[in-house]
Amino acid sequence: MKLGAFSLSLAVKDIEASLPFYEKLGFKPFGGDVANKWVILKNGEHIIGLFQGMLDKNTLTFNPGWDQDAQQLGEFTDVREIQRQLKAQGVAFTAEADETTTGPAYAILLDPDGNPVFLDQHV
């Protein structure tokens, strides 16, 4: 099972305060739009997303089909296949990808401690 790029999506209270803090840690904007209250930051291979008013909790995010530079991988496990494999192992989802479709889709599950795991496929 290839989960793709990994990032931590942070539910921030004030993106204007959070962005300069993470920039002091060496993170640089990589994508997103601060004016729309979300930005993706990168420091080497480490990626975090700052999301104001979009997430209830900090979230582990995987992007099937992408590498850590948001470049499409030649070979990857589709989010629907990941979902099928996990469901076969008894994992429950709070949001499911439509298995009759192809291309971009997402699925969300919770770990045993209630932490959201977001499988967000863009390709």
Side-chain angles (χ1 to χ4, degrees):
M1 183 180 308
K2 295 180 182 180
L3 297 175
F6 172 75
S7 62
L8 182 60
S9 298
L10 300 175
V12 300
K13 295 177 185 171
D14 180 355
I15 199 164
E16 298 292 341
S18 296
L19 178 57
F21 173 82
Y22 285 101
E23 287 177 326
K24 289 174 186 170
L25 293 175
F27 284 89
K28 304 227 181 295
F30 180 67
D33 183 1
V34 176
N36 285 317
K37 306 294 185 195
W38 70 280
V39 65
I40 307 301
L41 305 170
K42 190 168 184 185
N43 179 337
E45 292 295 307
H46 307 294
I47 300 172
I48 59 174
L50 307 178
F51 297 89
Q52 182 179 332
M54 295 180 186
L55 302 172
D56 293 330
K57 297 174 103 177
N58 295 336
T59 303
L60 302 168
T61 302
F62 296 93
N63 300 110
W66 276 4
D67 66 14
Q68 289 299 104
D69 292 315
Q71 298 299 306
Q72 186 170 341
L73 296 168
E75 187 178 311
F76 65 94
T77 308
D78 187 88
V79 66
R80 295 154 197 83
E81 179 57 29
I82 294 169
Q83 178 177 282
R84 277 191 288 274
Q85 289 180 27
L86 293 173
K87 286 174 75 174
Q89 296 177 63
V91 175
F93 285 77
T94 60
E96 294 186 20
D98 181 345
E99 294 186 12
T100 66
T101 64
T102 60
Y106 70 90
I108 302 170
L109 54 144
L110 301 176
D111 77 6
D113 295 302
N115 298 304
V117 178
F118 186 34
L119 305 172
D120 189 19
Q121 181 175 307
H122 297 276
V123 295

